[in-house]
Amino acid sequence: MSLRTWTIREVLEWATEDFARRGIESPRLDAELLVAKALGIDRVGLYLDLNRPLLEQERGLIRPLVARRREGEPVAYILGYREFYARRFCVTPDVLIPRPDTETLIDHALACIPVDAPCRVLDVGTGSGAIAITIAAERPLATVTATDLSEAALKVARGNAETHEVAARIRFERVDLVASGEQYDVILSNPPYVARSDIETLQTEVRDHEPIAALDGGEDGLDVVKALLTATEPATAPGAQILIEVGQGQAQSVLDFAIEETSWEPVAVYKDLNRVDRVVHLRRI
Ligand SMILES: C[S@@+](CC[C@H](N)C(=O)[O-])C[C@H]1O[C@@H](n2cnc3c(N)ncnc32)[C@H](O)[C@@H]1O
């Protein structure tokens, strides 16, 4: 930017055009979020002040945020948060950015967890804690366990649990899938499910910035899903339920595996907002 005066409107237009040229999907929204963050206001505040000339000091705060986005860093990592199920979750490059697809899992999970009775819930691969914390917040009588292999992710999740005042009802465990000797009524998971050969084809902002351990599901993408179905059998009694988020085209393979290799039987497959089969729901025989 030159030494001429820039208004908020002009800076937004400049950043939007720059992001659009680079193929960024929501250029205007990203520009607004980043400029608002730099100025310490919300997006409504931008619109109330569109014609205000910016101080050089303010432009100095905007430039590095825009530069990071131009380089392909996800806007959620630059902002440090992402909204999920109407709550704000802190995110760092140690955790997957929670996706709207996972809200489909929450909708169906809540239908399985009573409002007026205790329920033991397990969230496997908790990442930012989005699933575990949402369930604890929406179901005050539930006791929740959240596991992850990544200590760095668990630290982020614990912080989010404190923020949303549910830390007392969530036990965080660094363990492979599920600790032995525990029992659960409802198990939830958004595991890594990208087939290894597809990792290269992911958007660069996903592939180059989000943790590979949150994405890589092995050769066919189903390594963790299959291990999860097997590992959770001893942690459940007949009637227990499991809901697992899966990738496009994976639901039938998961059902086939469950029927042939485990004591989990199909209940339903649920579609996400894009009509993609996204959540497999099974019940323990
Ligand atoms: C796709 S991310 C999901 C994060 C979060 N639950 C969400 O929905 O936004 C998968 C998470 O599973 C964790 N993970 C991968 N393999 C695991 C395993 N064997 N046991 C426990 N966690 C695992 C990763 O570290 C990552 O945080």
Side-chain angles (χ1 to χ4, degrees):
M1 281 186 273
S2 69
L3 287 175
R4 57 165 274 221
T5 303
W6 287 74
T7 62
I8 289 180
R9 181 195 306 278
E10 287 169 326
V11 166
L12 285 174
E13 285 167 1
W14 162 74
T16 302
E17 278 166 30
D18 186 87
F19 292 165
R21 260 200 313 279
R22 290 164 200 272
I24 289 172
E25 259 176 30
S26 46
R28 176 74 187 192
L29 174 63
D30 289 5
E32 289 178 7
L33 288 166
L34 295 175
V35 172
K37 177 175 171 77
L39 299 179
I41 57 178
D42 60 17
R43 285 169 61 216
V44 176
L46 291 178
Y47 279 89
L48 293 176
D49 237 0
L50 275 178
N51 295 320
R52 178 170 76 74
L54 290 164
L55 303 170
E56 174 51 30
Q57 187 200 7
E58 290 175 317
R59 287 161 51 191
L61 294 170
I62 293 168
R63 269 188 226 108
L65 302 190
V66 171
R68 286 168 67 184
R69 188 69 188 110
R70 296 165 88 154
E71 296 302 315
E73 188 172 344
V75 77
Y77 289 148
I78 304 172
L79 297 173
Y81 66 83
R82 170 57 51 92
E83 307 288 337
F84 179 81
Y85 222 79
R87 289 183 184 81
R88 182 170 286 193
F89 287 82
C90 165
V91 293
T92 73
D94 290 317
V95 301
L96 187 94
I97 299 164
R99 306 292 206 268
D101 296 339
T102 308
E103 295 181 332
T104 302
L105 173 77
I106 297 286
D107 284 337
H108 294 286
L110 289 174
C112 300
I113 303 170
V115 184
D116 53 0
C119 185
R120 299 164 298 179
V121 180
L122 171 66
D123 169 24
V124 177
T126 199
S128 64
I131 295 174
I133 291 164
T134 303
I135 296 297
E138 299 283 332
R139 291 289 180 269
L141 297 183
T143 50
V144 182
T145 301
T147 70
D148 209 292
L149 281 176
S150 161
E151 188 53 52
L154 287 168
K155 189 170 172 218
V156 174
R158 281 192 197 98
N160 280 321
E162 296 284 345
T163 302
H164 293 294
E165 299 180 346
V166 291
R169 280 189 298 114
I170 305 182
R171 191 173 67 228
F172 291 98
E173 294 179 344
R174 180 163 185 243
V175 64
D176 186 359
L177 302 172
V178 51
S180 60
E182 293 170 11
Q183 287 288 305
Y184 298 99
D185 304 307
V186 176
I187 298 177
L188 309 171
S189 185
N190 172 20
Y193 54 68
V194 182
R196 196 159 291 149
S197 55
D198 289 343
I199 302 260
E200 274 306 301
T201 68
L202 294 175
Q203 285 178 300
T204 52
E205 69 175 80
V206 177
R207 190 189 61 211
D208 295 348
H209 292 273
E210 300 204 60
I212 189 71
L215 303 170
D216 187 351
E219 200 173 331
D220 65 354
L222 294 178
D223 283 6
V224 183
V225 177
K226 290 177 178 173
L228 174 65
L229 287 172
T230 306
T232 48
E233 284 182 275
T236 47
Q241 303 181 74
I242 187 165
L243 291 93
I244 308 174
E245 180 173 325
V246 297
Q248 187 160 10
Q250 292 179 336
Q252 191 56 51
S253 306
V254 174
L255 293 177
D256 291 345
F257 175 81
I259 292 165
E260 287 160 23
E261 307 283 342
T262 76
S263 46
W264 291 103
E265 65 177 2
V267 174
V269 174
Y270 306 115
K271 293 188 188 301
D272 65 19
L273 294 175
N274 295 314
R275 312 295 305 153
V276 171
D277 285 343
R278 184 59 68 192
V279 176
V280 175
H281 182 180
L282 304 148
R283 190 190 320 273
R284 182 81 155 64
I285 302 167

